[in-house]
Amino acid sequence: MTPVRREGYIFCQDLRVACYQTNRQTYLKPTAFMDMAQEIAFWAASGLGFGYDTLHVHHHAWVLSRMHLHFISFPRWRDEILLKTWHKGADGLFYLRDFDLRNAAGEPCALGTSSWVVIDEQTRRFVRPEDLQHLMAVEEKMDDAIATPAPKIQLPRETAPELVAEHTVAYSDLDLVGHTNNVRYVVWALDCLPLEEAEKPLKDLYVNYNKETTHGQKVELYRLRQDNAWYVEGRAEGKPCFVVKLEY
């Protein structure tokens, strides 16, 4: 992995698309971009003094709550790409972080905005921003990859989504906090779609994380198609734990 470098308040990483990050047509998978974004977010937060190691000392952890990704083009296997991210400060309980992915010619491939919260690792409750000011005292970069924060997503009202699968949270789903990694929910959602739909070029991806899931839990997966979008909602013990909206 190439190192992350800092340019002012922007953190950058030069990458090359690997074969295991692509689909059958050799294009970068949306979930592979999410993996990249997750990793650079870790290094960027660490570089600003509020990364995993610093928060873990206080029994706190970052948790992704919402994300909106807009895809313009998809780089292919072996393409050189540049990923950038920056911290945009607090918005209520959320901390905002944007992403910008470009090809070797400097043309945009994907743009993203994400909303994060800090939780207490022991109580699993939110930590209020005012209790974190001593850690978050940095100047934010307010430029926008996507101007509007990632929205709240729900299944359309008065619809009847179809139950298509049940997934038991397994070892491969877990992250270093001990719950299902945020990217895995989108993997499950895409796996719920017909293959010919999942492989279409995605335009926008929205995801909300409503309730964590842990090893051994059973998650029922419901899907619904409306206009040019697919919705996939996961329910654990009868309660929604995530919802994904995929616009093609």
Side-chain angles (χ1 to χ4, degrees), residues 71-98:
F71 295 95
I72 301 161
S73 64
F74 287 87
R76 307 187 76 165
W77 178 34
R78 294 174 287 199
D79 282 355
E80 294 181 352
I81 51 178
L82 172 64
L83 178 59
K84 298 181 180 181
T85 187
W86 56 96
H87 170 66
K88 297 206 305 185
D91 178 26
L93 278 175
F94 297 128
Y95 290 91
L96 306 183
R97 174 170 294 282
D98 279 11

Side-chain angles (χ1 to χ4, degrees), residues 43-72:
W43 289 107
S46 296
L48 293 174
F50 45 76
Y52 169 82
D53 297 304
T54 302
L55 265 63
H56 188 62
V57 170
H58 300 277
H59 306 291
H60 296 158
W62 285 109
V63 174
L64 182 58
S65 180
R66 299 177 183 177
M67 180 172 259
H68 172 202
L69 302 179
H70 175 65
F71 295 95
I72 301 161

Side-chain angles (χ1 to χ4, degrees), residues 180-224:
T180 303
N181 180 267
N182 67 83
V183 182
R184 296 301 298 170
Y185 294 105
V186 181
V187 171
W188 302 347
L190 287 166
D191 284 346
C192 284
L193 272 55
L195 180 60
E196 63 274 12
E197 291 291 312
E199 289 188 328
K200 288 181 180 178
L202 187 61
K203 179 182 177 183
D204 285 276
L205 185 158
Y206 303 86
V207 56
N208 284 184
Y209 304 94
N210 302 320
K211 186 177 184 295
E212 68 178 345
T213 58
T214 56
H215 185 263
Q217 275 193 291
K218 296 184 184 301
V219 181
E220 294 181 329
L221 300 170
Y222 293 81
R223 76 180 182 193
L224 172 73

Side-chain angles (χ1 to χ4, degrees), residues 224-242:
L224 172 73
R225 184 171 186 175
Q226 188 174 85
D227 301 325
N228 293 321
W230 284 92
Y231 293 82
V232 178
E233 182 180 77
R235 301 175 189 173
E237 300 172 2
K239 298 180 179 179
C241 53
F242 77 94

Side-chain angles (χ1 to χ4, degrees), residues 24-40:
R24 294 190 300 171
Q25 291 75 38
T26 75
Y27 289 106
L28 180 73
K29 291 180 179 178
T31 48
F33 173 58
M34 292 181 69
D35 281 328
M36 295 173 181
Q38 179 176 221
E39 181 68 7
I40 197 174

